[in-house]
Amino acid sequence: MSYDLIKVQQKGRVGIITLNRPKQLNALSPELMQQLGAALQAYDADEGVGAIVITGNEKAFAAGADIAAMKDYSYMAAFLADYITRDWEHIRRIRKPVIAAVAGYALGGGNELAMMCDIVIAAENARFGQPEVNLGVMPGAGGTQRLPRAVGKAKAMDVCLTARMMDAQEAERAGLVSRIVPLEKLMDEALAVAEKIAGCSLPVVMMIKESINRAYESTLAEGVLFERRLFHSQFALADQKEGMAAFLEKRKPTFKHR
Ligand code: CAA
């Protein structure tokens, strides 16, 4: 697939996807989401990539689903086209870690996209919100479900019902964001995080992601059992032998992702 609404670039073992509709503040049209899905799937299938970064520009990560594209939808059209599910949910099947590097607005579907990533790193100017209520609709890409899991019920209700934005500090305190950095350091920090992850054993990294996500879909006992079985399986990895031998020999491990 050729891309005109995103840019893709690989640096070492890190795949970088930049949302690229700056005039529309990266409004997420179905076409953009198809391109994003294709790029994510291509990096996920590429053994040379160990982690993926999604970013926008200084003013906007993404200001939400494309309002101009959806304003005339009918119920039947949205239902039959399975709007959101069809084009937006590829990211849920990506098995490698995905980092959102957020500057500026992450609103509506933009915040929902960030929440579908595994780690959110925010620039100091980042703003997070679910302003759909102002448009006469509700969040439709997981906002009412992922936001309470990330920040708790009180803040999720506040943000979704009043459309107010959280700044980076509030989002970090609330648990939506893992780190805040100055705007000019955003990509350096996101790439450093991605490179660190991509330098670790790929199957181990993938299993950690799968296991943490399992915590949201299972009881504690089931989740811990899932974790234990994955942990046991890792003694079959060459990378486990190498990692532990390197520690004991006081040298850096060289992982082969096997
Ligand atoms: N869809 C389509 N176009 C958008 C857009 C969106 N979500 N957000 C911004 N734009 C466009 C504007 O229409 C404008 O286009 P023109 O220059 O052609 O007029 C351009 O981007 C710049 O936007 P503004 O002039 O509004 O910029 P601003 O700095 O004054 O305000 C903003 C910035 C507060 C983010 C404002 O643009 C805004 O409120 N955007 C909409 C945010 C929103 O409601 N998001 C939720 C969308 S619905 C959704 O996401 C559903 C879901 O859950 C999946």
Side-chain angles (χ1 to χ4, degrees):
M1 181 183 260
S2 68
Y3 306 124
D4 59 339
L5 303 172
I6 61 171
K7 288 182 189 166
V8 293
Q9 185 194 0
Q10 192 174 332
K11 277 195 179 172
R13 287 180 51 77
V14 177
I16 306 165
I17 302 173
T18 305
L19 308 178
N20 190 31
R21 293 185 78 201
K23 284 189 188 144
Q24 293 84 15
L25 304 185
N26 291 334
L28 302 168
S29 60
E31 296 75 20
L32 187 154
M33 294 311 288
Q34 283 162 12
Q35 293 182 18
L36 176 63
L40 284 167
Q41 283 166 352
Y43 281 142
D44 210 35
D46 183 343
E47 286 222 24
V49 170
I52 302 163
V53 175
I54 302 178
T55 194
N57 56 56
E58 290 188 5
K59 182 158 185 199
F61 177 71
D66 188 329
I67 299 166
M70 71 180 151
K71 72 178 178 25
D72 293 327
Y73 281 2
S74 64
Y75 163 74
M76 219 52 236
F79 176 75
L80 289 177
D82 211 3
Y83 179 48
I84 301 295
T85 309
R86 195 178 59 181
D87 296 321
W88 289 56
E89 299 215 324
H90 304 291
I91 189 169
R92 290 183 52 220
R93 290 182 287 280
I94 300 303
R95 297 174 71 202
K96 295 173 184 170
V98 182
I99 297 161
V102 177
Y105 297 113
L107 300 178
N111 188 42
E112 291 166 310
L113 174 61
M115 290 193 293
M116 285 192 258
C117 296
D118 303 306
I119 297 176
V120 181
I121 300 179
E124 282 164 345
N125 75 340
R127 298 285 178 278
F128 300 86
Q130 297 290 156
E132 290 90 341
V133 72
N134 286 341
L135 301 170
V137 291
M138 63 187 285
T144 66
Q145 302 305 302
R146 291 196 179 88
L147 194 60
R149 282 168 171 80
V151 305
K153 176 179 168 181
K155 258 189 208 301
M157 287 282 186
D158 183 356
V159 165
C160 291
L161 290 173
T162 71
R164 85 169 173 86
M165 297 183 206
M166 289 190 283
D167 64 17
Q169 300 290 341
E170 182 179 2
E172 196 265 345
R173 278 198 307 277
L176 186 61
V177 157
S178 71
R179 308 179 188 197
I180 304 172
V181 292
L183 177 57
E184 64 277 11
K185 297 261 170 64
L186 178 65
M187 279 315 283
D188 288 348
E189 185 80 5
L191 286 175
V193 171
E195 278 160 14
K196 165 68 198 177
I197 293 169
C200 298
S201 169
L202 180 60
V204 171
V205 160
M206 290 168 67
M207 287 186 212
I208 291 172
K209 168 167 171 165
E210 198 169 337
S211 194
I212 291 178
N213 282 333
R214 193 71 168 219
Y216 291 91
E217 313 285 351
S218 62
T219 62
L220 180 60
E222 284 299 319
V224 169
L225 180 61
F226 182 79
E227 178 198 79
R228 195 66 32 84
R229 295 297 176 237
L230 287 182
F231 175 67
H232 290 161
S233 77
Q234 293 179 348
F235 290 94
L237 291 174
D239 286 341
Q240 174 268 327
K241 299 288 177 276
E242 166 63 8
M244 293 191 183
F247 174 82
L248 293 171
E249 292 160 19
K250 303 191 190 304
R251 61 174 173 84
K252 279 199 169 171
T254 306
F255 292 123
K256 296 208 168 69
H257 311 294
R258 286 287 180 274

